Amino acid sequence: MSETEINLPDNFIHEIIRKDLEAGKNGGAVKTRFPPEPNGYLHIGHAKSICLNFGTAQKFGGKFNLRLDDTNPVKEDTEYVESILEDVKWLGADWEDRFFHASDYFDQMYEYAVQLIKMGKAYVCELSEEEFKEYRGTLTEPGKEPPGRKRTIEENLDLFERMKAGEFPDGSKVLRARIDMASPNIHMRDPAIYRIRHADHHNTGSKWCIYPLYDFAHCLEDAIEGITHSICTLEFEIHRPLYDWILNTLDTPCKPQQIEFARLNLTYTVMSKRKLLELVKTGLVNGWDDPRMPTICGMRRRGIPASAIRDFCETIGVTKFNSLTEIELLDHCVRDDLNKSARRAMAVMNPLKLVIDNYPEGQVEEVETVNNPEDPAAGTRKVPFSKTLYIERDDFMENPVKQFHRLAVGKEVRLRSAYFVTCTSFVKDENGEIVELHATYDPATKGGNASDGRKVKGTIHWVSADQSLEAEVRLYDKLFTVPDLSAIPEDADWKSYLNPESLKVAKCRIEPGLAELPPGTHVQFERIGYFFSDPKDHSKEHPVFNRTVALKDSWSKIVKKA
RNA sequence: AACCCUGUGGUGUAAUGGCAGCACAAGUGGUUUUGGUCCACUUAGUUCAGGUUCGAGUCCUGACAGGGUUGCCA
């Protein structure tokens, strides 16, 4: 048992594998795969599957394949292939040289289908779609024998050959497995395994006009690749008898085992490809990589590290229970990761001018401050300090409540890494709004410590008015206003539950060094939250920061209680 | 409706017939040059009814609840 194995908790799938290994199944091999269909972008739910499949292979010293499940040319597109590769790689799942396409196996699948026909276990059926349904029966009534079921092997071979040759129009015929029209499991009632589609395929071009269906194709893909444990989501559970039937009927290189787990559901978001596509298509979000999206690329652009996603996937576990995970757990994993890794900086969201009356006019000094108190190796930096600063509007109260530890007339606070200042007065404009604060500083508190040992309760952040720069911040919040989208009324439009405040664009004042950060850099704005210089839009001339997640805020709870 | 799967604190999970534990969330207190982090503590759980057993969250039966299946999608 390796050291990593001890550290990672087992889930029920690992238990199955462990037993298989002990029983000597598969010659001690463990091989998994992630088989996305290239018809959409990957999301956090896929990340769960990727982490599970890759993590399982790693845990047992096995192999992990990446395979595009591209058996339906009319739904799939190369547009998605690139993003899938990028996202899986970014998440850290390494398929080495094992990147495959289901369509790479079309020749073999065709041969397997011919085999089935020769065994009398498959036949060509020319029922229309409507008739097909009629013959299939219902959940409560058995199906009845389709006319084509009695056809001879020779006829079936000939017909299937001609289907392949393009002699028949789309939908006029299918190849069906001959199993049991009376099975209580509808998927076993002679399922279609090949359909005619005169469509170009993104990988095989115009070579084929017949394409295998999922149930026939997937188990064969697994078998061809030598997959030992084929992990999929719960909705395929009822397909498992068919998966096994095909592998047991045909002489395949191996007999992979399908194991189902519950897909991830997260509060305040949607995971369905259809809905995500609709959000993109209708412009309700700004593309697949909109940081509000639960897509991998959206989360990446928001500033969520791959390591945090991996940690999250490890934390939620793997079961067959249909659960709804709170988004707060993801937030926790993100904060936990970024707390250790993100350098700190000061930025003022709602600037209020603070003039230090006893500070020399025109003087600018540089104060030294730590880049990350959690990581001494991150070093220190210099931040310009001067007579006129900006502080956070919320850090001053005209009539301070009892527990308020920040600025008010007569109160002393520490300006982070700089000096103690005491507020002396404030200025209001004609509307009664506070526009300026006046204070005095104590030169003996440079760096933020009093030589006489006196303490202050509050420490606030600041930027120098003249030296600070303007930046754009994009403040992201929950995509939806309700936690459980599956619980909304049937007749309601799910889009009407979108959170109108899921994105707020604002201006802020940043310490000058922040503009120099390259795009795609994590940073904590102290006392505010974790931000990420936007990979596409951030530049030195026009700094743009995405709020990844806000810092935990216990002050707001105190306020709420009072 | 028929068949299949699943039910452990508010949420996500652990227990492999033997003291129901962990994390998140919530709350209280402490530390702190971020009302962040960190530390300590508190609240709170085996869906129900039978059965097997010295002993059941775990095994059996039934009920109840939730989910899936009824595409020539995956």
Side-chain angles (χ1 to χ4, degrees):
Chain A
M1 199 181 262
S2 71
E3 207 172 307
T4 51
E5 204 174 313
I6 295 164
N7 293 334
L8 294 174
D10 258 4
N11 56 50
F12 81 97
I13 294 176
H14 294 155
E15 281 171 32
I16 292 170
I17 295 174
R18 206 178 289 286
K19 280 185 187 124
D20 288 347
L21 253 22
E22 280 162 15
K25 206 171 155 187
N26 304 311
V30 172
K31 196 158 186 178
T32 61
R33 99 269 96 111
F34 175 61
E37 184 187 15
N39 70 343
Y41 281 70
L42 264 28
H43 54 61
I44 181 78
H46 293 110
K48 178 180 181 182
S49 175
I50 293 164
C51 290
L52 173 59
N53 277 290
F54 178 65
T56 298
Q58 257 194 329
K59 177 168 184 151
F60 294 101
K63 301 280 189 209
F64 165 79
N65 292 1
L66 177 61
R67 177 173 75 223
L68 262 19
D69 202 3
D70 54 355
T71 57
N72 187 353
V74 302
K75 285 202 168 181
E76 294 145 12
D77 203 285
T78 41
E79 175 202 345
Y80 301 110
V81 175
E82 203 176 316
S83 73
I84 288 171
L85 288 165
E86 186 185 5
D87 291 347
V88 176
K89 186 179 236 167
W90 179 74
L91 280 169
D94 186 5
W95 61 84
E96 298 173 42
D97 58 348
R98 293 178 306 281
F99 170 55
F100 304 115
H101 294 76
S103 53
D104 291 338
Y105 315 135
F106 280 170
D107 284 297
Q108 291 165 81
M109 290 181 197
Y110 180 78
E111 285 310 315
Y112 278 122
V114 169
Q115 274 306 312
L116 235 34
I117 296 171
K118 285 181 176 166
M119 296 165 79
K121 304 269 190 186
Y123 61 96
V124 173
C125 173
E126 62 274 275
L127 254 27
S128 69
E129 282 198 51
E130 220 160 86
E131 293 167 320
F132 188 98
K133 280 178 190 163
E134 203 181 301
Y135 275 77
R136 186 180 46 213
T138 66
L139 288 173
T140 48
E141 306 154 43
K144 53 188 180 187
E145 283 210 1
R149 211 170 196 257
K150 293 197 187 75
R151 226 189 298 276
T152 64
I153 290 172
E154 289 66 33
E155 258 184 294
N156 282 317
L157 248 18
D158 175 61
L159 251 17
F160 188 47
E161 169 74 39
R162 288 162 62 193
M163 277 169 64
K164 182 194 178 196
E167 286 190 28
F168 310 116
D170 285 6
S172 60
K173 288 181 174 46
V174 290
L175 184 69
R176 290 229 232 173
R178 185 194 182 103
I179 308 178
D180 177 10
M181 288 307 291
S183 171
N185 182 344
I186 288 186
H187 297 280
M188 297 296 271
R189 316 236 264 232
D190 291 10
I193 59 175
Y194 260 93
R195 79 287 227 187
I196 301 170
R197 288 284 178 277
H198 290 270
D200 278 3
H201 186 281
H202 77 99
N203 186 38
T204 59
S206 58
K207 179 176 176 186
W208 297 90
C209 63
I210 55 170
Y211 294 93
L213 278 119
Y214 171 86
D215 284 311
F216 183 65
H218 204 90
C219 53
L220 292 175
E221 297 159 22
D222 287 338
I224 289 165
E225 292 181 15
I227 300 301
T228 58
H229 301 272
S230 178
I231 301 170
C232 64
T233 42
L234 246 29
E235 68 270 25
F236 294 104
E237 200 157 32
I238 201 155
H239 296 240
R240 183 162 17 105
L242 180 51
Y243 184 102
D244 291 337
W245 183 90
I246 292 166
L247 293 181
N248 290 331
T249 305
L250 258 8
D251 183 25
T252 53
C254 71
K255 311 291 179 191
Q257 178 184 358
Q258 175 178 306
I259 307 171
E260 311 84 14
F261 71 99
R263 61 166 72 239
L264 171 68
N265 296 296
L266 262 187
T267 54
Y268 299 102
T269 193
V270 286
M271 221 65 93
S272 107
K273 277 186 186 178
R274 202 203 90 232
K275 286 178 179 158
L276 294 176
L277 177 67
E278 197 173 336
L279 290 177
V280 172
K281 284 268 154 76
T282 55
L284 288 164
V285 297
N286 305 314
W288 287 100
D289 68 346
D290 186 303
R292 291 169 290 185
M293 293 279 274
T295 49
I296 304 297
C297 56
M299 295 171 75
R300 178 167 60 233
R301 187 169 180 187
R302 180 148 169 173
I304 295 175
S307 48
I309 295 179
R310 278 185 247 118
D311 178 39
F312 173 72
C313 290
E314 192 63 49
T315 305
I316 56 177
V318 180
T319 65
K320 298 186 75 156
F321 181 64
N322 209 297
S323 59
L324 178 63
T325 299
E326 292 173 337
I327 193 87
E328 286 79 4
L329 182 58
L330 211 213
D331 291 344
H332 164 77
C333 292
V334 174
R335 290 194 192 99
D336 191 47
D337 189 292
L338 259 13
N339 177 48
K340 295 171 208 140
S341 62
R343 55 158 288 181
R344 315 285 134 120
M346 290 193 283
V348 176
M349 301 288 120
N350 299 298
L352 175 60
K353 192 178 280 188
L354 172 70
V355 180
I356 303 170
D357 293 322
N358 61 338
Y359 193 83
E361 191 80 47
Q363 180 176 312
V364 178
E365 69 176 303
E366 299 210 300
V367 299
E368 189 169 42
T369 186
V370 294
N371 283 330
N372 186 350
E374 302 296 316
D375 177 18
T380 62
R381 69 182 187 284
K382 298 263 206 309
V383 185
F385 182 90
S386 67
K387 185 182 179 78
T388 305
L389 310 171
Y390 289 122
I391 66 164
E392 212 66 67
R393 195 161 280 274
D394 285 349
D395 285 339
F396 176 81
M397 280 184 100
E398 185 177 352
N399 300 300
V401 296
K402 197 167 60 207
Q403 295 165 91
F404 190 73
H405 298 152
R406 286 110 88 172
L407 221 47
V409 172
K411 284 190 78 168
E412 185 173 47
V413 298
R414 171 166 41 232
L415 294 173
R416 172 73 158 148
S417 301
Y419 296 98
F420 286 9
V421 291
T422 303
C423 184
T424 51
S425 64
F426 57 86
V427 180
K428 281 185 175 175
D429 67 9
E430 59 274 19
N431 300 320
E433 197 185 341
I434 296 169
V435 292
E436 189 173 301
L437 261 31
H438 285 265
T440 55
Y441 85 117
D442 177 358
T445 58
K446 179 159 189 184
N449 279 310
S451 49
D452 63 4
R454 76 178 187 279
K455 303 280 186 202
V456 287
K457 272 268 179 68
T459 299
I460 65 174
H461 60 280
W462 52 273
V463 293
S464 172
D466 285 345
Q467 280 71 37
S468 65
L469 302 170
E470 187 178 83
E472 176 180 328
V473 279
R474 298 171 181 170
L475 306 174
Y476 296 105
D477 202 347
K478 299 178 168 86
L479 223 204
F480 289 90
T481 54
V482 291
D484 187 359
L485 271 294
S486 74
I488 64 172
E490 202 117 326
D491 54 349
D493 178 14
W494 59 275
K495 294 192 292 301
S496 67
Y497 293 89
L498 277 164
N499 178 8
E501 308 207 318
S502 60
L503 169 60
K504 284 185 202 161
V505 179
K507 295 274 184 258
C508 72
R509 302 297 300 187
I510 58 172
E511 62 173 75
L514 282 173
E516 310 286 336
L517 294 178
T521 306
H522 300 284
V523 59
Q524 184 200 97
F525 291 172
E526 289 202 56
R527 306 211 302 136
I528 306 289
Y530 294 100
F531 287 77
F532 191 59
S533 53
D534 190 86
K536 286 183 175 171
D537 302 334
H538 173 86
S539 68
K540 186 179 173 180
E541 295 71 30
H542 182 64
V544 179
F545 292 91
N546 301 329
R547 184 174 68 193
T548 308
V549 64
L551 249 31
K552 281 219 275 184
D553 182 7
S554 54
W555 171 245
S556 69
K557 289 175 188 170
I558 295 170
V559 172
K560 212 176 283 178
K561 262 198 312 188

